[in-house]
Amino acid sequence: MSETSLPTHAKDNPNVSADGAPSKNALKKAQKEAEKAAKKAAAKKADEEKRAAQQAQVASEDTAKDNYGALPEDTVQITHLKKLGPEDADKEVTVITRVHNSRSQSAKLAFLMLRQQGKTIQAVVAASGDEVSRQMVKWATSVNINSFVRVTGLVKKPNPPVASASISDLELHVKKIYLISSAAEVIPMQVKDAERPPPAVEQEGQVDAEGAPVVTLKTRLDNRVIDLQTECNQAIFTISSAVEGLFEEYMRKSGSRKFNTPKLLGAATEGGSGVFEVNNYFGKSGFLAQSPQLHKQMLIAGDCESVFEIGPVFRAENSNTHRHLTEFTGLDFEMVFDHHYHEVLDFAEKLIVFIVTELKSRYKDEIAVVQKYFPKAGDFHLKDGKALRLKYFDGIKLLRDAGVDTTEQDNYVTDLTTAQEKRLGQIIREKYDTDFYVLDEFPMSVRPFYTKPHPKDPKLSNSYDFFMRGEEIMSGAQRINDASELEASMRNKGVDPASDGFSDYVNAFRQGCRPHAGGGLGLNRIVMFFLGLDNVRQATPFPRDPQRLRP
């Protein structure tokens, strides 16, 4: 082939000979590149082998290698942080906690803050002897924040006390530390940031004067599992559980029996539109219970005499306020009386006094924790250890005398507004030095159809509301126990007594029923107002409102 007949790329390429084969220069270049790559690979392999050898040597020299890392398969006695006390000084204990934060002081010294159910204690990881090595110190600080670890250490009394820990008079000198469950490297918010009270204004992305993130209530609720880990929330929900337990304790001691009434009903419990409808209940409509009211009364008609229930209550009210939820926990009771409904009212007042008094006595530590974040928590007043009872229109007069417009209330048109409730609470606190009071004899026009009218004034009723810090926690009344009277009251309120869902209720009274009264308390509100929280959602593990159906 002549030069003129060679392909263009061959004529222009110095690495190709005239016959199209690789040139000598190209072969030499390729050989050099291959030798260079081989040397590089050999050097890399040698370096890897050297590092592996060094690591193996370091590992062989790590006298504490069995004292940290993956959790071993063994059985040791575990101690809870809240059970540690001064008597445990110089004792060895094993705890299972989260890593709240960590700080490396040097290659030989690190500090961990350990957290369990909101309680924190400082742990010292110091390289010494064969038990704790430098590698162990380094590993301890590499554990992701919020991870669960099992720590064995010697309890010591620090001097001075560790101010940043809730258990300030003790610390753990670590001997062993193992990883149980690793937390993610990046989480939506830090527990330490959620430990500060939520801001008054919901502004996302803000920082405080120290540059720390301001975590809003929305962010906390969106990440509730993390938020629940704070010391404050652990205390709040201990108290919430206590309120429920004290309610049940009081009721059982009185001889009352606990029942669970249905939450799927054939009609709205109290009529009206504030009810969630189940659109396809096997081809027909059903409703989520607004309260256990109808079934409580049916139990009384069934000679149960005194009953109570703790369960969910559903309200389809588009109320986006600090105290309204679409689902909350109700503490309901109903009981017969011998002569007058005030027998039940006395009982209910003593119930609240019992709950408040026992909370203050049994849960001082938890109240003190909440008070660090919500100052009103430890400042709930009971005048002479009992409730203050006023008639409804005595309360209206207090408002009127204070310059509040009560025209609609004077004319039996509407119930107290939220603003009026709060103002009345302030007036009563100043005048009577109490945060718990009762208003009795409400206008009949603002009460549901099953409420018994006042025997002397048909405009009034034998009904009452309970208030804490000027906001309602319970509504109650004597109930109508005569079928004919009940039917008339229902028709007057626009409810058909013969309709599905109500006919069984009315029929329950046709065989006779003793006079009875009761009430429905909101657990979440009691906790909120007793502790002086800003929002009922702070007293609810996973709140539901018109804007929230998660998590």
Side-chain angles (χ1 to χ4, degrees):
M1 180 183 293
S2 65
E3 182 178 345
T4 55
S5 64
L6 284 175
T8 304
H9 71 274
K11 290 189 292 181
D12 297 336
N13 191 341
N15 294 323
V16 179
S17 63
D19 59 0
S23 67
K24 291 182 179 181
N25 289 337
L27 291 174
K28 287 181 179 180
K29 185 176 180 181
Q31 185 178 1
K32 286 181 179 180
E33 288 178 352
E35 290 173 352
K36 185 178 179 181
K39 287 180 180 179
K40 187 175 180 181
K44 183 179 179 181
K45 182 179 180 182
D47 187 50
E48 290 175 349
E49 290 175 348
K50 182 179 180 181
R51 283 202 304 268
Q54 289 174 340
Q55 290 173 355
Q57 183 177 356
V58 169
S60 66
E61 294 173 354
D62 186 359
T63 56
K65 61 183 178 182
D66 295 328
N67 294 341
Y68 68 96
L71 186 69
E73 294 183 3
D74 59 5
T75 302
V76 295
Q77 184 175 347
I78 306 299
T79 300
H80 201 289
L81 281 189
K82 66 182 179 183
K83 293 184 178 180
L84 288 180
E87 67 279 3
D88 293 305
D90 298 321
K91 292 181 181 178
E92 184 175 290
V93 299
T94 299
V95 297
I96 294 177
T97 69
R98 290 185 186 270
V99 177
H100 189 59
N101 60 50
S102 62
R103 174 167 53 93
S104 177
Q105 194 76 2
S106 69
K108 292 185 177 182
L109 179 63
F111 295 95
L112 306 180
M113 189 66 74
L114 305 178
R115 186 184 76 246
Q116 185 176 26
Q117 291 194 316
K119 297 293 183 184
T120 55
I121 189 171
Q122 179 171 273
V124 181
V125 191
S128 61
D130 294 338
E131 281 189 318
V132 180
S133 62
R134 289 190 178 198
Q135 294 93 323
M136 181 173 169
V137 173
K138 183 179 180 180
W139 182 88
T141 58
S142 72
V143 176
N144 290 344
I145 300 302
N146 234 38
S147 296
F148 272 106
V149 291
R150 193 184 84 185
V151 177
T152 298
L154 197 63
V155 180
K156 291 289 186 180
K157 291 184 177 181
N159 187 17
V162 183
S164 58
S166 59
I167 304 174
S168 59
D169 57 344
L170 297 174
E171 66 181 6
L172 280 178
H173 287 235
V174 177
K175 291 185 175 182
K176 298 178 181 179
I177 178 170
Y178 302 108
L179 181 65
I180 292 178
S181 177
S182 182
E185 290 187 21
V186 179
I187 56 178
M189 68 179 192
Q190 295 286 346
V191 173
K192 64 180 182 180
D193 295 327
E195 286 179 333
R196 296 185 297 278
V201 180
E202 292 281 289
Q203 292 183 328
E204 301 289 347
Q206 302 296 308
V207 295
D208 63 16
E210 299 176 356
V214 174
V215 184
T216 64
L217 180 59
K218 179 183 182 302
T219 299
R220 294 166 195 243
L221 296 179
D222 286 346
N223 302 280
R224 192 58 156 158
V225 172
I226 299 174
D227 187 44
L228 289 172
Q229 296 171 24
T230 66
E231 179 187 33
C232 184
N233 277 327
Q234 289 292 313
I236 287 173
F237 291 107
T238 294
I239 291 169
S240 178
S241 176
V243 171
E244 188 174 324
L246 290 168
F247 172 76
E248 183 161 351
E249 179 183 332
Y250 184 88
M251 295 305 301
R252 288 191 183 278
K253 284 183 176 179
S254 75
S256 188
R257 285 180 284 175
K258 185 178 183 181
F259 285 83
N260 296 300
T261 61
K263 302 307 166 210
L264 282 169
L265 306 180
T269 312
E270 301 177 15
S273 60
V275 59
F276 289 110
E277 184 173 0
V278 180
N279 293 320
N280 186 19
Y281 187 74
F282 301 102
K284 54 187 176 182
S285 292
F287 302 88
L288 294 180
Q290 293 167 292
S291 81
Q293 184 57 46
L294 305 190
H295 287 89
K296 283 193 304 177
Q297 290 187 256
M298 293 167 76
L299 287 167
I300 296 298
D303 292 347
C304 292
E305 295 196 354
S306 180
V307 302
F308 73 97
E309 178 171 6
I310 301 172
V313 176
F314 302 92
R315 298 287 171 89
E317 300 171 356
N318 193 16
S319 298
N320 296 280
T321 75
H322 72 291
R323 70 179 192 180
H324 285 93
L325 296 170
T326 53
E327 179 184 352
F328 61 89
T329 300
L331 309 177
D332 283 87
F333 67 94
E334 204 77 21
M335 59 194 301
V336 299
F337 59 85
D338 296 327
H339 306 291
H340 195 277
Y341 79 95
H342 279 181
E343 295 167 33
V344 179
L345 182 51
D346 290 339
F347 174 89
E349 288 174 345
K350 291 174 183 176
L351 162 65
I352 299 299
V353 170
F354 171 77
I355 290 174
V356 170
T357 302
E358 292 303 310
L359 284 175
K360 288 186 171 184
S361 173
R362 302 186 199 181
Y363 297 90
K364 293 179 182 178
D365 292 344
E366 286 78 8
I367 293 171
V369 166
V370 178
Q371 192 172 14
K372 291 191 297 184
Y373 305 91
F374 297 94
K376 291 182 181 178
D379 185 37
F380 189 90
H381 283 215
L382 272 180
K383 180 67 172 177
D384 300 325
K386 58 183 180 182
L388 170 70
R389 188 188 304 176
L390 299 171
K391 291 186 178 181
Y392 174 82
F393 279 105
D394 290 337
I396 298 301
K397 185 177 184 303
L398 288 174
L399 285 170
R400 191 187 314 114
D401 291 346
V404 178
D405 181 7
T406 60
T407 303
E408 292 189 342
Q409 287 74 29
D410 292 335
N411 294 324
Y412 300 83
V413 176
T414 62
D415 200 349
L416 291 169
T417 66
T418 300
Q420 288 173 329
E421 284 183 6
K422 289 183 176 181
R423 182 70 183 103
L424 183 58
Q426 294 170 351
I427 295 169
I428 288 176
R429 172 70 183 257
E430 294 168 1
K431 185 177 179 65
Y432 298 101
D433 190 29
T434 186
D435 285 313
F436 171 48
Y437 63 93
V438 177
L439 294 183
D440 189 21
E441 298 184 5
F442 273 71
M444 190 66 194
S445 61
V446 300
R447 308 305 276 197
F449 61 77
Y450 45 75
T451 306
K452 185 77 172 177
H454 194 283
K456 296 180 180 179
D457 186 347
K459 287 186 177 182
L460 298 179
S461 64
N462 291 354
S463 65
Y464 40 83
D465 277 2
F466 285 20
F467 297 85
M468 294 175 71
R469 299 191 195 270
E471 299 198 60
E472 180 200 329
I473 61 162
M474 188 190 91
S475 182
Q478 178 182 352
R479 324 300 188 181
I480 296 173
N481 62 304
D482 177 80
S484 297
E485 183 182 352
L486 180 59
E487 286 177 316
S489 179
M490 293 173 76
R491 291 191 182 98
N492 187 50
K493 294 284 187 178
V495 180
D496 181 4
S499 62
D500 289 344
F502 286 111
S503 59
D504 291 330
Y505 166 67
V506 176
N507 288 338
F509 301 102
R510 297 194 189 281
Q511 302 303 315
C513 180
R514 285 183 61 178
H516 57 282
L521 296 149
L523 168 66
N524 316 71
R525 285 192 182 183
I526 293 174
V527 175
M528 173 191 177
F529 299 136
F530 174 72
L531 293 175
L533 307 181
D534 299 324
N535 197 301
V536 71
R537 291 156 186 79
Q538 294 163 334
T540 310
F542 299 99
R544 293 292 179 261
D545 60 39
Q547 309 301 322
R548 180 171 291 278
L549 270 174
R550 60 172 291 261

